[in-house]
Amino acid sequence: AFDVSFSVQTNIVIAQLDAGQVQQDVAAARPGIAKFWIGRSATGETFDGTISRVQVYDEWMPTGTLWLEGDSYVAGAADQTSLWASLQTQTNRRAFVTASGGSTLTNERDRVLAHPGFAADNTLVHWDGIPNGYGTNVADMAKYAAMVPAHGRYVFITPLVAPGSASDVNDAATALRTSLLAAYPTRCYDAQTFVDAQVTPFQGDNVHLTDTVMDLLAIDLAAWMAARGL
């Protein structure tokens, strides 16, 4: 006997056999499902064996998955290792990624709110590394608050002051860091403190982190999360 879990929606496919490795494609370029057959194919072929139980959810993600949302710091840039790949390695937990380079905090909040089922029994990790498209501090903090899942398993990573960012963007990052650490003291990881301790944290563009620093940050973040049961 075996269990098959799968989820199909527009451009996102996830599947798991028993408790094995989760397979996913978040850029599947396919429509969602209008109807599906269980036990036979669309052409009428039938399958041997018995289906013991079928359970349908609005949305599904394997328990224990890390759901990573944010900008290019999370999704990866052309010359930067992604946080999701490094953190997946360090935690030995499957990462499900909806982050996208160049995203604003509004984009990220909207993606989180569009998939409430993804947060169930999982941990949301959010990092808007460079706050492009920032608003007022009050408005941006309201967007963070909107992403907090009811079960409390989430991590907000502070945005960074980067040499290559405009001064107004860095001012927004500084203000958000202060507010996030004050509002979420047990759920906010201070990336700025970690990056400031590195000798050469940034690549030549002075915006994205080097691969080495991103990997080291993932190691530190994984330990920080483990200490808090996340």
Side-chain angles (χ1 to χ4, degrees):
F2 57 88
D3 292 327
V4 175
S5 301
F6 67 93
S7 174
V8 180
Q9 62 175 300
T10 305
N11 301 334
I12 299 176
V13 180
I14 317 170
Q16 183 180 35
L17 177 61
D18 291 325
Q21 181 71 30
V22 177
Q23 306 299 319
Q24 68 180 31
D25 185 348
V26 297
R30 56 156 297 135
I33 286 181
K35 63 180 179 180
F36 60 95
W37 289 267
I38 298 175
R40 72 180 184 90
S41 72
T43 58
E45 298 169 312
T46 57
F47 304 103
D48 296 332
T50 301
I51 298 175
S52 300
R53 184 179 65 174
V54 175
Q55 190 163 357
V56 179
Y57 302 89
D58 288 338
E59 290 186 310
W60 170 83
M61 188 186 294
T63 299
T65 299
L66 297 176
W67 177 16
L68 285 105
E69 179 56 79
D71 59 8
S72 59
Y73 274 62
V74 177
D79 298 315
Q80 173 187 272
T81 295
S82 63
L83 174 68
W84 78 260
S86 295
L87 192 61
Q88 179 173 258
T89 298
Q90 297 305 323
T91 60
N92 196 32
R93 292 166 66 182
R94 184 67 178 179
F96 180 78
V97 187
T98 52
S100 179
S103 294
T104 66
L105 186 58
T106 299
N107 299 147
E108 296 151 13
R109 177 207 59 191
D110 290 348
R111 286 195 294 263
V112 169
L113 296 183
H115 302 290
F118 287 173
D121 299 319
N122 298 294
T123 299
L124 171 66
V125 180
H126 174 273
W127 192 10
D128 188 36
I130 301 297
N132 301 311
Y134 66 89
T136 66
N137 184 263
V138 171
D140 286 345
M141 286 299 293
K143 293 170 187 175
Y144 277 98
M147 291 187 283
V148 174
H151 56 50
R153 290 189 299 280
Y154 65 95
V155 180
F156 289 147
I157 303 174
T158 61
L160 293 179
V161 171
S165 292
S167 60
D168 60 324
V169 175
N170 282 335
D171 288 346
T174 299
L176 277 171
R177 174 187 175 227
T178 299
S179 297
L180 286 168
L181 289 169
Y184 306 103
T186 63
R187 292 294 183 269
C188 184
Y189 174 80
D190 189 2
Q192 189 70 60
T193 295
F194 180 86
V195 169
D196 287 346
Q198 310 307 308
V199 176
T200 309
F202 293 98
Q203 298 183 30
D205 65 0
N206 281 324
V207 172
H208 294 100
L209 300 178
T210 65
D211 290 352
T212 298
V213 171
M214 183 63 83
D215 286 339
L216 290 173
L217 185 145
I219 293 171
D220 190 64
L221 175 59
W224 185 93
M225 291 172 60
R228 290 158 179 78
L230 300 171

